[in-house]
Amino acid sequence: MAAESAYAAAGVDIAAGDRAVELMKDAVARSHRPEVLGGLGGFAGFFDASALAGYRHPVLATSTDGVGTKVAIAGAMGVYDTIGFDLIGMLVDDLVVTGAEPLFVTDYIACGKVYPERIAAIVGGIAAACTAAGASLLGGETAEHPGLLGTEEFDIAGATTGVVEYDEILGADRVRDGDVVLALASSGLHSNGYSLVRNVFAGWSLEKDVAELGGTLGETLLTPTRVYAKDLLAIIRGCEVHSISHITGGGLANNLVRVLPDGIGVDIDRASWRPPAIFELVQAVGRLSQPDIEATLNMGVGMAIVLPESSVAEASRIAAEAGIDSWVAGVATAAPGARARVELHSEHPR
């Protein structure tokens, strides 16, 4: 029997890492666009930039993010093939709201111990989400950190790059008085606010059946983030859009105001939608005030599109074809001399 290497004795299993790469190769390859050169195993990934030659004035956009403490739910439930959708949703949809098409993604997984099948499941989910977003999983890194992370602990992060025509970048400067805010439904909590959510449900079992959720608490908390990229691009290309806000950490008002110019205010009508049951449960169990929960969670809104009223019908039709519920949540009004403002009014239906 061969002697154990000093590195393995220190807790880093190179052979397990190699095995994980072998297990993930096919899933990663399925995410590749035609511009990808080569495969896994090199020191860097290659993307043929001649694909940008058809742009008049291409601008590259980039974003980096992680999944946050939702990974603790995945670990506790032993479900590893969906968390990749949370990562990709956080990454590519931050690009798409600018009008950019995501091109490729790189990922990073840190863990206390490499379990090849687990790593392959995580990366398989990331690759599947990349395919859904139209982006290639170009490369990544798995790092084993014994002594820093427990053997069952892991974290994932990534970065993405996309491209948009310079004169087609969406943003606050395009927003006008009378524009409408079209909300697109979230699939649930997405991947933000889990430190609060886990604290609220600290005494609950993830296996607990919750009637109002239609399943177990853990299943609901692990619902993957909706990846909007392809559908948002279809809306952007199919109708006039001025700006889009990805509703992540900070909630609806704090994210929407980022894509409004000074001199514009938006009043959001809570009565225009009912948040999914998980939001009502978090608020009730945690005894959270309305401002508190709205400053943390998306409350059922994954994207907020600011567009002319004349574009609402077509944007709604495209969203519906993609299986995404949408509704008019508010209207932009001029407020000369005032800072950009978003306020929520009335109450959600019960």
Side-chain angles (χ1 to χ4, degrees):
M1 177 181 290
E4 183 181 40
S5 74
Y7 208 9
V12 178
D13 190 342
I14 295 175
D18 291 342
R19 170 66 176 155
V21 171
E22 285 299 317
L23 291 173
M24 70 178 71
K25 272 187 175 179
D26 288 345
V28 173
R30 285 193 291 272
S31 77
H32 284 175
R33 296 163 52 119
E35 300 93 340
V36 175
L37 305 178
L40 290 181
F43 287 99
F46 293 95
F47 190 92
D48 187 353
S50 67
L52 307 184
Y55 284 77
R56 302 183 308 277
H57 186 165
V59 176
L60 295 180
T62 186
S63 174
T64 186
D65 209 339
V67 173
T69 61
K70 189 171 182 175
V71 297
I73 306 295
M77 294 186 63
V79 177
Y80 304 102
D81 59 351
T82 62
I83 203 75
F85 279 82
D86 299 290
L87 178 64
I88 298 307
M90 293 302 103
L91 290 173
V92 301
D93 288 337
D94 273 0
L95 285 187
V96 173
V97 298
T98 70
E101 176 186 2
L103 300 175
F104 56 82
V105 171
T106 55
D107 64 20
Y108 179 82
I109 304 173
C111 59
K113 178 178 174 59
V114 170
Y115 296 99
E117 290 75 14
R118 179 180 302 178
I119 299 299
I122 294 170
V123 175
I126 294 172
C130 283
T131 300
S136 298
L137 182 53
L138 197 56
E141 174 73 11
T142 300
E144 203 167 17
H145 292 165
L148 181 62
L149 296 172
T151 57
E152 300 300 317
E153 294 180 322
F154 71 96
D155 197 10
I156 63 176
T160 185
T161 297
V163 62
V164 60
E165 291 281 10
Y166 176 78
D167 59 3
E168 294 177 5
I169 296 173
L170 303 180
D173 59 299
R174 293 174 176 250
V175 176
R176 298 290 181 266
D177 178 30
D179 279 353
V180 170
V181 177
L182 183 70
L184 301 188
S186 69
S187 57
L189 295 169
H190 284 183
S191 189
N192 301 105
Y194 272 76
S195 294
L196 170 63
V197 171
R198 289 169 57 238
N199 184 61
V200 166
F201 294 121
W204 292 43
S205 166
L206 293 174
E207 302 302 320
K208 179 181 176 67
D209 277 304
V210 183
E212 54 262 55
L213 299 181
T216 69
L217 175 64
E219 289 168 343
T220 301
L221 296 186
L222 206 56
T223 301
T225 298
R226 185 190 296 275
V227 176
Y228 297 89
K230 283 186 176 180
D231 304 316
L232 270 184
L233 286 174
I235 291 173
I236 292 167
R237 292 163 180 167
C239 27
E240 183 180 351
V241 173
H242 291 163
S243 71
I244 308 176
S245 177
H246 188 191
I247 312 305
T248 56
L252 176 56
N254 290 331
N255 281 288
L256 180 55
V257 78
R258 296 166 63 183
V259 298
L260 300 177
D262 287 340
I264 289 288
V266 170
D267 292 302
I268 297 293
D269 184 7
R270 294 189 185 97
S272 63
W273 84 100
R274 180 176 180 177
I278 184 60
F279 297 96
E280 297 178 2
L281 187 64
V282 170
Q283 185 169 14
V285 175
R287 298 180 180 179
L288 304 176
S289 68
Q290 196 69 22
D292 227 7
I293 195 168
E294 288 178 341
T296 308
L297 304 180
N298 68 58
M299 300 303 290
V301 180
M303 289 283 176
I305 307 176
V306 185
L307 71 180
E309 187 175 9
S310 59
S311 292
V312 170
E314 180 63 9
S316 298
R317 184 193 67 78
I318 295 171
E321 282 192 352
I324 303 173
D325 291 335
S326 65
W327 63 94
V328 172
V331 177
T333 56
R339 298 289 298 272
R341 171 192 62 82
V342 176
E343 293 180 2
L344 282 75
H345 300 278
S346 67
E347 295 182 0
H348 294 296
R350 295 288 180 179

